[in-house]
């Protein structure tokens, strides 16, 4: 029992503890990348960052390029001469032209970033480059743009004009072993001298006048030289395989030597020295087989970092073989267990060392600067930041003056210096200044003047000295400091002007005197004179209403603007406190989480928000968020309700599930460097495509065929500080109307683009939201399909023009043909009918004269002639009308008319005839002109036969053979001599020959006196 009492008293005593700034943040917190992340192999021998910003890593099994998210690995392929010379990559450097040089176990490879190809120089009789052997252990790209390569047999200088190497060695007379010219390390000092470390343990300088290596006599061999580093002062650091580090001053001063000694604090740990490197601040780092060491020049000692098996953020393995630093300041470490990086700047986020205090629900400070912390299980803690001492107050069932409960939910100092403590279930406690005894205020259901409920959520003293106590279900209590009695406000469902909800998280009076309550039923404004509440709630129909009824915190900034944090609805700016008009900011606007537990304002006017996913800094002027989480050094991502506080000195405290995070907002360093943005890949139908001439990273124009209707472009922001926080936006100009926010997604896919020219642009932020507005641009030309090309369009235009011209010519030909027919008809009408009508007119006059002279016989004969002329004219008219009717184009109609005409003429003369039309003529068609000429020719032939042949029988045959229409008219009459003038003195035969010529045909007449007559017409006709 005595022991127990002693322990309880010790809990109230002071105990020495580190202050918040003394909580030992690890000197270096490493993030390690291995083959699991895509690294070619875990044994890393070389590191270099190129001009673009890519990080190149040489390993035992290939060369990897890192873009902040993933690796692309290059390896040797015996079938591809343009591949890496060997997978065993020992050294890397980039020359002034931007080419990357890789020293390998199979020669010296030069990578052209534009073409994505390697050219490898190899030693041997088959190679004329001058490289003496293939094992290239070290490389140097000096300030003059020259490339130096160290092999096991010599130092080599590359001549970019001749593509050959010049070898430099020690004088042959001085050679003492086979490793005398084995170049293991290279460096260039401030004077431009090239230094060489050899496998024999010598350090030599290059004498360009004599063209040979000259040993520095100041250093004696102490193991083979593994690494050299020339510092800014002109001195040279020398590391050896035996673990000794030596420094050669520039002006032949005394040599300093640092030997490993595991027993002496501050010395090198032992093992072999693998690499030397100085960061941007000039700090020397030493990579050994026993860890990574940092040189402290003020004391001449070393602080070392080694692998810690239980710490995932420690060095992954102690053998450090390569060191480098990127442009953002990250230190990169190559080990036998992967590639690691660490931020050399210490985190500004600290923690309170509370032992096993656990979750924290309340934080505040007093006028003396003491920090008071309310925990979930360990009572009340008091810290003195100046001394690091802490005091703990725990509940003691045997002591009525102890704190009522160990679960503390609210803390508040009033204007008299009293600390008010709200507990989870045991009411409200008050601790007087200088006292360790607590006064308890408990709820008594029988006494309405007691506190509303024992579950306390918040305590607040207004400027008038009144104490407002929010409870978890009991409503809001107001303590009268004089009478020590409480007035309680509760929700009344029947009264819309009552407290909106009995769960009161926060009470706050603004500078205008308005009293606000954050409750589970909305944001309430209290009117002290009337005792009425005005409540603002979420309204889905009003976008300017509150976004959630679960209100957690309230703050008024220096400008007088009210801000409200909610649970699930982000946080809102109160634009109109009277009407309840709000502007809400949520995850879509950059808030890490829509649950906002607490808000504090720093001296710059930034608002700091505690959420379930870290802290957010909000700039009201720009409405931009900057987020911080465990990756930035926070103790935890999840914070607790109302556990936030700002001291008089401006220091912030945020309590969460694991303890308290503390920091000075002004000490938070952000990454101000906009990240380089590059294109990293091009895919067609989700398959990676290697472009033939220029890689996508260097390309400025990309031409796509019409078949490339699904393609993707991959991109990256080359910021390696928390690269998973990088954010992207892209736009395909002439397609996307606006920028497309991509978040952390690093790919854009497009389908079925119309032919044309587009510009693809990508911009990105670094981990702290700093945009690179220029980004990267790529012109994309989508070729049209062949039927939409300019030459095809021109060809089609000419073809259409030609067809139209042809149609025009055809139409003109038709019109001319029609005009010729009209002229022919007019001519026939003029010739036949005109002459016939003239003769009728003359004969009519003659007949009239005969009638006057009483000669009726002569008059009758003349009238008979008039009748014959009229009939002939009617026949001619009938022929013309029939010929111009397109309904008679069929040869069947022509045949029927021919048969009918032959019957009328020949039967009237008593001549027997046969008319045969071969079936081959069926379906044939004759145009108007050809039909007319053909029929009139036939008609002339039949008329001549009837008038002059004196025959008994006639045969008419119509046949179609071989594209020729053939007409034969044969009789057994008297015949005639074709060489003598025609009977009757007419033009019948002449007309028939003329008509045959018009039909492009051939007319033959076979006849002789007494032998009958055969007329044969042949004319071309398409079927």
């Amino acid at each position: 029992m005595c022991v127990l009492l002693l322990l309880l008293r010790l809990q109230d005593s002071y105990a020495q503890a580190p202050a918040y700034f003394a909580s030992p943040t690890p000197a270096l917190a490493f993030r390690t990348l291995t083959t699991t992340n895509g690294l070619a192999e875990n044994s890393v021998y070389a590191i270099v960052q190129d001009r673009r910003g890519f990080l190149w890593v040489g390993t035992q099994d290939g060369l990897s390029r890192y873009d902040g998210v993933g690796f692309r690995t290059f390896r040797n392929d015996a079938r591809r001469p343009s591949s890496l010379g060997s997978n065993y990559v020992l050294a890397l450097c980039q020359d002034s032209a931007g080419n990357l040089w890789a020293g390998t176990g199979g020669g010296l490879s030069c990578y052209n970033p534009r073409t994505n190809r390697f050219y490898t120089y190899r030693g041997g009789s088959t190679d004329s480059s001058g490289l003496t052997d293939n094992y290239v252990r070290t490389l140097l790209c000096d300030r003059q743009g020259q490339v130096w390569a160290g092999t096991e047999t010599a130092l080599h200088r590359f001549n970019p004009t001749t593509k050959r190497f010049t070898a430099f060695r020690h004088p042959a007379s001085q050679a003492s072993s086979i490793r005398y010219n084995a170049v293991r390390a290279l460096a260039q000092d401030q004077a431009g001298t090239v230094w060489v470390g050899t496998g024999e343990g010598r350090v030599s300088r290059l004498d360009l006048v004599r063209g040979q290596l000259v040993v520095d006599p100041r250093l004696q061999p102490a193991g083979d030289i593994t690494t050299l580093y020339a510092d800014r002062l002109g001195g040279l650091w020398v590391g050896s395989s035996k673990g000794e580090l030596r420094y050669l001053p520039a002006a032949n001063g005394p040599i300093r030597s640092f030997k490993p000694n595991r027993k002496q604090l501050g010395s090198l740990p032992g093992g072999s020295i693998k690499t030397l490197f100085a960061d941007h601040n000039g700090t020397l780092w030493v990579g050994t087989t026993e860890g990574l060491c940092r040189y402290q020049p003020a004391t001449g000692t070393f602080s070392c970092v080694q692998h810690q098996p239980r710490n995932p953020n420690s060095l992954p393995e102690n053998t450090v073989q390569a060191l480098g630093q990127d442009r953002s300041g990250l230190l990169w470490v190559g080990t036998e267990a992967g590639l690691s990086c660490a931020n050399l700047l210490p985190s500004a986020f600290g923690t309170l060392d509370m032992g096993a205090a656990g979750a924290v629900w309340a934080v505040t400070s007093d006028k003396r600067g003491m920090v008071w912390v309310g925990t979930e299980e360990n009572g009340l803690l008091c810290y003195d930041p100046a001394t690091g001492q802490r005091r703990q107050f725990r509940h003691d069932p045997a002591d009525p003056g102890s704190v009522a409960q160990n679960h503390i939910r609210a803390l508040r100092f009033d204007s008299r210096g009293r600390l008010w403590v709200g507990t989870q279930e045991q009411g409200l406690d008050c601790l007087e200044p200088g006292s360790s005894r607590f006064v308890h205020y408990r709820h008594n259901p029988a006494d309405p003047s007691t506190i509303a409920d024992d579950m306390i959520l918040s305590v607040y003293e207004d400027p008038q000295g009144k104490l407002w106590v929010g409870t978890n279900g009991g409503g809001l209590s107001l303590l009268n400091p004089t009478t020590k009695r409480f007035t309680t406000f509760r929700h009344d469902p029947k009264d819309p002007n009552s407290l909106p909800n009995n769960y009161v998280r926060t009470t706050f009076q603004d500078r205008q005197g308005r009293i606000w309550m954050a409750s589970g039923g909305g944001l309430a404004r209290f009117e002290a004179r009337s005792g009425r509440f005005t409540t603002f709630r979420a309204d889905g129909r009003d976008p300017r209403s509150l976004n959630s009824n679960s209100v957690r915190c309230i703050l008024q900034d220096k400008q007088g603007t009210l801000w409200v944090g909610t649970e699930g609805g982000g946080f809102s700016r109160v634009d109109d406190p009277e009407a309840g008009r709000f502007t809400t900011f949520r995850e879509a606007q950059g808030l890490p989480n829509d649950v906002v537990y607490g808000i504090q304002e720093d001296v710059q006017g930034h608002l700091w928000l505690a959420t379930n996913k870290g802290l957010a800094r909000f700039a009201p002027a720009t409405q931009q968020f900057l987020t911080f989480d465990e990756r930035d050094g926070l103790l935890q991502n999840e914070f607790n309700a109302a556990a936030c506080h700002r001291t008089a000195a401006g220091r912030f405290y945020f309590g969460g599930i694991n303890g308290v995070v503390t920091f000075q907002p002004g000490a938070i360093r952000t990454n101000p460097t906009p990240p380089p943005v590059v294109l990293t890949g091009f895919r067609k139908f989700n398959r990676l495509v290697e472009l033939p001439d220029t890689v996508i990273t260097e390309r400025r124009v990309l031409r796509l065929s019409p078949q490339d209707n699904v393609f993707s472009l991959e991109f990256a922001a080359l910021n390696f500080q928390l690269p998973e926080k990088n954010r992207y936006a892209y736009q395909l100009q002439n397609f996307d109307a606006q920028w497309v926010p991509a978040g952390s997604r690093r790919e854009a896919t497009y389908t079925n683009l119309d032919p044309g020219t587009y510009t693809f642009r990508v911009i990105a932020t670094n981990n702290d939201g700093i945009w690179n507005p220029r980004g990267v641009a790529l012109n994309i030309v989508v070729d049209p399909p062949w039927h939409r090309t300019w030459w095809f369009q021109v060809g089609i235009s000419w073809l259409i023009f030609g067809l139209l011209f042809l149609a025009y010519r055809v139409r003109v030909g038709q019109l001319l043909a029609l005009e010729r027919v009209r002229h022919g008809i007019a001519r026939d009408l003029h010739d036949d009918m005109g002459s016939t009508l003239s003769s009728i007119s003359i004969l009519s006059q003659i007949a009239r004269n005969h009638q006057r002279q009483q000669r009726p016989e002569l008059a009758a004969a003349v009238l008979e002639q008039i009748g014959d002329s009229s009939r002939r004219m009617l026949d001619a008219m009938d022929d013309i009308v029939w010929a111009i009717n397109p309904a008679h184009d069929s040869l069947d109609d022509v045949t029927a008319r021919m048969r009918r005409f032959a019957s009328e003429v020949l039967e009237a003369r008593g001549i027997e005839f046969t008319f045969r039309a071969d079936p081959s003529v069926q379906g044939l068609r004759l145009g108007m002109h050809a039909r007319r000429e053909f029929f009139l020719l036939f008609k002339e032939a039949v008329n001549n036969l009837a008038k002059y042949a004196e025959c008994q029988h006639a045969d008419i045959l119509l046949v179609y053979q071989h594209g020729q229409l053939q007409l034969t008219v044969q009789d057994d009459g008297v015949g005639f001599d074709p060489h003598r003038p025609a009977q009757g003195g007419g033009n019948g035969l002449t007309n028939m020959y003329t008509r045959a010529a018009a039909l492009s045909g051939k007319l033959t007449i076979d006849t002789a006196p007494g032998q009958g007559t055969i007329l044969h017409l042949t004319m071309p006709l398409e079927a």
Side-chain angles (χ1 to χ4, degrees):
M1 186 66 179
C2 293
V3 175
L4 178 60
L5 290 174
L6 178 61
L7 291 174
L8 290 173
R9 287 185 178 275
L10 285 174
Q11 289 178 344
D12 287 338
S13 65
Y14 283 97
Q16 186 70 31
Y20 54 81
F21 47 79
S23 178
T25 302
L28 290 177
F30 291 93
R31 178 169 59 96
T32 299
L33 305 170
T34 65
T35 53
T36 305
N37 306 101
L39 185 64
E41 206 267 341
N42 287 337
S43 296
V44 177
Y45 296 146
I47 304 169
V48 70
Q49 187 177 29
D50 67 15
R51 289 179 176 179
R52 282 280 188 184
F54 290 109
L55 194 74
W56 294 83
V57 184
T59 76
Q60 191 170 282
D61 189 27
L63 175 64
S64 292
R65 188 188 73 183
Y66 182 57
D67 61 14
V69 178
F71 291 91
R72 181 181 180 185
T73 295
F74 301 83
R75 287 192 171 94
N76 173 259
D77 185 349
R79 296 169 298 179
R80 291 178 60 242
S82 61
S83 66
L84 185 65
S86 168
N87 292 337
Y88 196 51
V89 181
L90 295 164
L92 294 171
C93 76
Q94 186 178 36
D95 64 21
S96 57
N99 299 312
L100 183 74
W101 294 80
T104 75
L108 178 59
S109 295
C110 179
Y111 172 75
N112 187 329
R114 182 174 181 83
T115 63
N116 199 38
R117 287 175 171 82
F118 291 87
Y119 183 83
T120 300
Y121 300 91
R122 292 186 171 90
S125 57
T126 60
D127 187 88
S128 60
S129 65
L131 195 66
T132 57
D133 68 271
N134 290 331
Y135 199 79
V136 182
R137 185 184 289 268
T138 182
L139 289 174
L140 171 66
C141 294
D142 66 18
R143 295 188 296 275
Q144 288 71 39
Q146 299 181 103
V147 178
W148 302 83
T151 72
E152 287 298 294
T153 56
L155 170 67
H156 302 79
R157 181 179 63 189
F158 179 69
N159 187 324
T161 303
T162 63
K163 307 295 183 183
R164 289 184 54 81
F165 293 90
T166 301
F168 302 91
R169 296 182 177 86
H170 294 92
S173 60
Q174 298 179 7
S176 56
S177 72
I178 193 173
R179 296 186 300 170
Y180 194 63
N181 288 310
V183 179
R184 303 292 175 82
L186 289 170
Q188 185 183 35
D189 63 20
Q190 293 297 312
T193 301
V194 175
W195 292 85
V196 171
T198 71
E200 195 182 55
R202 304 283 185 180
V203 175
S204 303
R205 62 178 177 84
L206 175 62
D207 187 337
L208 288 173
V209 176
R210 292 187 287 177
Q212 60 186 18
L213 299 175
V214 179
V215 174
D216 191 313
R218 294 179 291 173
L219 285 183
Q220 296 301 314
D224 57 322
I225 305 301
T226 55
T227 179
L228 297 174
Y229 179 75
D231 65 16
R232 301 174 183 176
L233 302 177
L236 187 69
W237 291 89
V238 182
S240 71
S241 60
K242 291 187 177 181
E244 182 178 0
L245 178 64
R246 291 174 288 182
Y247 180 70
L248 278 68
N252 293 325
I255 297 175
R256 299 178 63 186
S257 179
F258 304 89
K259 296 183 178 181
N261 187 346
R262 290 186 175 90
K263 297 181 180 180
Q264 183 177 351
L265 186 64
S267 65
L268 290 170
S272 175
I273 296 177
K274 290 291 188 178
T275 184
L276 295 169
F277 176 76
D279 62 27
H280 297 164
N281 295 323
T283 301
L284 181 70
W285 296 84
V286 183
T288 76
T289 55
E290 298 294 332
L292 176 63
C293 299
R294 175 166 46 191
Y295 178 58
Q296 310 288 348
T299 60
T301 59
F302 296 86
S303 58
C304 296
V305 179
Q306 293 182 320
H307 172 62
Q308 302 171 24
R310 297 183 180 179
N311 183 1
N313 294 321
S314 74
L315 199 64
E317 199 266 342
N318 285 336
T319 302
V320 177
Q321 302 178 125
L323 291 169
Q325 190 174 23
D326 64 27
R327 296 186 185 98
S328 70
L330 288 179
L331 180 70
W332 292 87
V333 183
T335 73
E336 287 285 356
L339 174 69
S340 297
C341 68
N343 196 332
L344 298 180
L345 298 175
S347 173
F349 296 105
T351 61
L352 288 179
D353 184 9
M354 301 187 302
V360 172
W361 289 90
V363 185
T364 189
S365 63
D366 59 27
K367 294 179 180 179
R368 299 177 300 158
M370 300 295 179
V371 179
W372 297 77
V373 179
T375 72
E376 184 172 311
E377 297 178 348
N378 291 281
L380 179 63
L381 300 175
C382 177
Y383 282 89
D384 184 350
T387 64
Q389 290 182 327
R390 72 169 180 257
R391 187 182 184 186
Q392 186 174 22
F393 299 87
R394 292 180 60 86
H395 172 64
D396 181 0
D399 183 5
S402 67
V403 67
Q405 188 182 13
N406 288 331
H407 190 167
I408 311 298
R409 291 298 304 266
L411 293 172
R412 174 71 66 172
F413 278 98
D414 65 17
S415 56
R416 295 170 54 184
R418 295 177 297 183
L419 177 63
W420 294 88
V421 182
T423 68
Q424 174 70 8
E425 297 172 336
Q426 299 300 319
L428 180 67
D429 286 358
C430 180
L431 182 64
E432 294 286 344
S435 173
S436 61
R437 310 289 293 174
F438 291 86
V439 178
H440 308 297
Y441 295 84
R442 300 291 299 275
H443 171 64
N444 183 355
D447 186 358
S449 66
T450 61
I451 195 167
D453 192 271
D454 286 336
M455 299 176 68
I456 309 301
L457 291 179
S458 64
V459 182
Y460 172 74
E461 184 189 33
D462 64 23
Q464 293 76 34
K466 299 175 184 178
L467 196 71
W468 298 81
V469 182
T471 70
N472 191 24
L476 175 66
S477 292
L478 175 61
L479 176 64
N480 187 319
T482 304
T483 64
K484 307 294 185 183
R485 301 180 71 84
F486 290 90
T487 301
T488 297
F489 302 89
R490 288 189 175 91
H491 172 62
D492 182 357
K494 298 179 181 179
D495 184 4
N497 298 119
S498 66
L499 189 67
N501 185 279
N502 288 332
Y503 298 86
V504 180
R505 280 85 176 257
T506 299
T507 305
F508 174 76
Q509 182 174 347
D510 63 22
R511 291 194 287 276
Q512 288 73 32
R514 295 170 297 214
I515 299 177
W516 300 86
M517 286 83 183
S519 76
L523 177 66
R525 188 183 69 224
F526 179 64
E527 301 294 340
R529 293 181 180 179
S530 63
R532 296 161 63 92
F533 291 87
T534 301
T535 302
F536 303 106
R537 295 185 175 91
D539 185 353
R541 298 167 298 178
D542 184 4
R544 296 295 303 279
S545 68
L546 195 63
N547 220 40
S548 170
N549 288 333
S550 183
V551 182
R552 283 288 182 179
C553 54
I554 307 170
L555 177 131
Q556 187 175 35
D557 64 20
K558 293 183 293 186
Q559 305 300 323
T561 303
L562 284 171
W563 301 86
V564 178
T566 72
E567 185 170 350
F571 89 114
S572 301
R573 183 183 65 216
V574 183
D575 296 326
D576 188 342
E578 299 300 326
R581 306 284 285 175
F582 301 85
T583 298
T584 300
F585 302 88
R586 304 191 61 176
E587 292 180 10
Q589 285 75 45
L591 189 65
N593 180 248
D594 279 342
V595 177
V596 178
Y597 288 126
I599 309 175
Q600 292 293 334
E601 184 183 20
D602 64 21
V603 294
Q604 285 83 26
H606 296 138
L607 302 182
W608 291 80
L609 315 177
T611 76
N612 276 332
K613 291 186 178 180
L615 297 176
R617 189 183 76 183
F618 178 73
T622 63
Q623 299 185 1
Q624 297 295 312
F625 288 93
L626 184 60
T627 62
F628 303 91
D629 53 33
E630 292 177 359
R631 296 168 295 182
D632 298 285
L634 292 184
L635 174 67
Q636 69 237 335
N637 286 338
E638 183 178 340
F639 293 88
N640 284 331
C644 64
H645 177 65
R646 173 186 168 182
T647 69
R651 176 170 284 274
F652 283 173
Y653 295 87
F654 288 92
I657 59 174
N658 296 322
V660 178
V661 172
T662 178
F663 59 95
Q664 279 284 0
I668 300 299
R669 299 181 180 89
T670 58
N671 182 358
T673 306
V677 184
V678 295
L679 298 174
T680 59
F682 172 61
R683 292 179 180 272
K684 292 181 183 179
F685 299 97
N686 204 32
R687 291 186 178 182
L688 191 65
V689 176
E690 292 290 345
L691 299 175
D693 51 356
T694 306
V695 296
I696 193 67
T697 304
E698 302 292 333
R699 188 178 283 265
R700 293 294 172 266
V701 178
L702 178 65
R703 186 174 291 274
L704 301 177
S705 70
Q707 292 74 33
D708 299 331
N709 50 15
V710 179
F711 70 93
S712 302
L713 290 166
E714 299 172 353
F715 39 83
L718 301 181
N719 164 62
F720 304 137
Q721 290 194 31
L722 302 177
E724 59 273 21
K725 284 189 167 186
N726 297 341
R727 293 294 179 264
Y728 302 88
Y730 62 83
Q731 182 185 38
L732 185 64
Q733 294 176 349
N734 294 335
F735 183 82
D736 294 323
Q738 297 177 342
W739 286 93
V740 180
S744 59
R745 182 165 50 90
R746 301 169 54 246
E747 182 181 76
T749 299
Y750 290 93
T751 60
N752 299 317
L753 289 181
D754 291 332
T757 301
Y758 305 85
T759 300
F760 180 73
R761 293 194 61 203
V762 186
I763 57 177
T765 72
N766 63 12
N767 57 302
D768 285 332
I770 303 300
W771 284 96
N772 178 349
R774 183 177 181 182
V776 66
L778 175 69
N779 292 323
I780 299 176
V781 179
V782 180
D783 290 332
W786 61 269
H787 58 275
R788 296 179 65 180
T789 57
W790 68 268
W791 52 266
F792 181 80
Q793 300 289 344
V794 171
I796 285 295
S797 300
W798 278 105
L799 178 61
I800 294 174
F801 175 77
L803 292 175
L804 291 174
F805 182 73
L806 178 62
Y808 167 76
R809 293 295 301 272
V810 170
R811 179 61 178 161
V812 169
Q814 291 175 342
L815 293 174
L816 292 175
L818 180 61
E819 190 67 21
R820 287 193 294 271
V821 170
R822 288 173 177 172
H823 280 293
I825 294 172
R827 184 183 65 247
D828 291 344
L829 289 175
H830 181 271
D831 293 345
D832 294 343
M833 296 183 187
S835 60
T836 302
L837 290 174
S838 297
S839 64
I840 290 174
S841 177
I842 295 171
L843 292 173
S844 297
Q845 187 66 36
I846 294 173
R848 184 180 298 110
N849 293 333
H850 286 313
Q851 187 176 9
R852 289 174 180 174
Q853 298 173 5
Q854 304 296 318
R855 293 180 292 204
E857 296 83 0
L858 295 176
V862 172
L863 290 176
E864 183 68 24
Q865 290 181 14
I866 292 174
D868 291 339
S869 297
S870 298
R871 284 190 293 274
R872 286 198 305 274
M873 186 176 67
L874 289 174
D875 288 342
M877 285 292 296
D878 183 62
D879 289 343
I880 293 172
V881 173
W882 175 83
I884 63 177
N885 189 349
H888 300 147
D889 285 353
S890 171
L891 200 59
D892 295 339
D893 289 343
V894 177
T895 303
R897 187 175 180 82
M898 292 169 64
R899 189 189 301 274
R900 186 168 57 252
F901 177 78
S903 175
E904 291 174 355
V905 173
L906 297 179
E907 287 180 357
R909 298 296 180 97
I911 301 173
E912 296 181 356
F913 75 97
T914 58
F915 190 100
R916 289 184 300 127
D918 192 82
S920 60
V921 304
Q922 293 182 0
L924 297 177
R925 300 182 68 84
L926 283 174
M928 178 182 66
H929 175 71
R931 187 171 73 252
R932 179 173 180 273
E933 297 294 341
F934 180 78
F935 181 75
L936 291 178
L937 187 151
F938 169 76
K939 187 176 180 180
E940 186 75 31
V942 172
N943 279 328
N944 288 338
L945 182 152
K947 289 181 180 179
Y948 307 114
E950 301 178 11
C951 64
Q952 301 296 320
H953 184 79
D955 290 316
I956 302 172
L957 177 63
L958 191 62
V959 180
Y960 181 75
Q961 291 180 343
H962 308 298
Q964 300 284 328
L965 181 64
Q966 300 178 12
L967 172 66
T968 303
V969 179
Q970 183 177 359
D971 64 66
D972 57 358
V974 295
F976 66 91
D977 184 356
H979 302 292
R980 296 184 64 185
Q983 297 183 35
N987 297 319
L989 289 178
T990 303
N991 290 339
M992 284 192 291
Y993 279 113
T994 302
R995 296 186 190 281
L999 293 171
S1000 300
K1002 182 179 180 182
L1003 178 66
T1004 59
I1005 300 177
D1006 185 11
T1007 184
Q1011 296 183 5
T1013 302
I1014 300 175
L1015 182 148
H1016 186 73
L1017 171 67
T1018 302
M1019 61 174 285
L1021 181 64
E1022 293 184 358

